[in-house]
């Protein structure tokens, strides 16, 4: 059985998908990019502010499922330029405790939706 998770505090989907799916105790989030949920505008001033917006969007989706970053067990990070990794990692890391941080992969890709620089998805368990 699956439950659709949706919140107005994160950007509405821009295609045929949902913000997240809860199956049993496991939450699967869709990838989030740096869209401001209030304005629909991209937040692309620099890679740090872009990553903060992505993480805030994910925080809102987790909250809608009554979860926090403490529940996250796996993340997938897609970036358009591996040279941005250290700045993305610094922002990303500020949302987790180093001792209990989730498993993850970080992959450089040729292109991301709306030509953003970073997209992150998560799996969380309650």
């Amino acid at each position: 059985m699956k439950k659709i998770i949706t919140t107005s505090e994160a950007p509405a989907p821009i295609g045929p998908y949902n913000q997240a799916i809860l199956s049993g105790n496991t939450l699967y989030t869709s990838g989030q990019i740096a869209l401001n949920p209030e304005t629909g505008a991209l937040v692309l001033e620099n890679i740090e502010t872009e990553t903060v917006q992505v993480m805030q969007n994910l925080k809102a989706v987790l909250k809608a499922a009554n979860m926090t970053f403490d529940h996250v067990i796996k993340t997938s990070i897609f970036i358009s330029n591996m040279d941005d990794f250290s700045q993305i990692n610094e922002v990303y890391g500020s949302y987790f405790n180093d001792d209990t941080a989730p498993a993850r992969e970080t992959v450089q890709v040729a292109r991301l939706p709306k030509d953003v620089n970073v997209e992150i998805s998560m799996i969380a368990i309650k």
Side-chain angles (χ1 to χ4, degrees):
M1 185 124 214
K2 69 179 182 180
K3 178 181 177 186
I4 306 301
I5 302 297
T6 185
T7 177
S8 61
E9 295 179 21
I14 55 176
Y17 62 91
N18 289 290
Q19 292 169 329
I21 300 292
L22 184 64
S23 178
N25 291 330
T26 305
L27 181 74
Y28 302 89
T29 75
S30 291
Q32 287 291 322
I33 61 174
L35 280 171
N36 179 313
E38 294 177 12
T39 66
L42 287 169
V43 178
L44 302 175
E45 289 84 33
N46 58 56
I47 195 62
E48 290 89 356
T49 59
E50 185 174 351
T51 306
V52 166
Q53 184 65 61
V54 170
M55 295 301 288
Q56 289 301 115
N57 292 345
L58 287 162
K59 182 178 180 179
V61 173
L62 290 166
K63 179 182 170 187
N66 296 313
M67 295 187 188
T68 68
F69 287 110
D70 290 338
H71 293 99
V72 176
I73 61 165
K74 176 77 166 53
T75 63
S76 298
I77 303 175
F78 304 95
I79 61 179
S80 61
N81 184 348
M82 198 56 79
D83 291 340
D84 292 334
F85 176 77
S86 63
Q87 297 100 308
I88 292 167
N89 196 50
E90 186 172 331
V91 172
Y92 167 92
S94 71
Y95 288 83
F96 294 101
N97 176 323
D98 287 349
D99 294 333
T100 59
R104 86 163 185 214
E105 71 260 338
T106 303
V107 180
Q108 179 174 316
V109 296
R111 192 169 180 201
L112 289 164
K114 296 191 175 277
D115 293 317
V116 297
N117 300 297
V118 61
E119 178 176 2
I120 302 174
S121 64
M122 297 182 166
I123 299 171
I125 294 183
K126 192 178 256 187

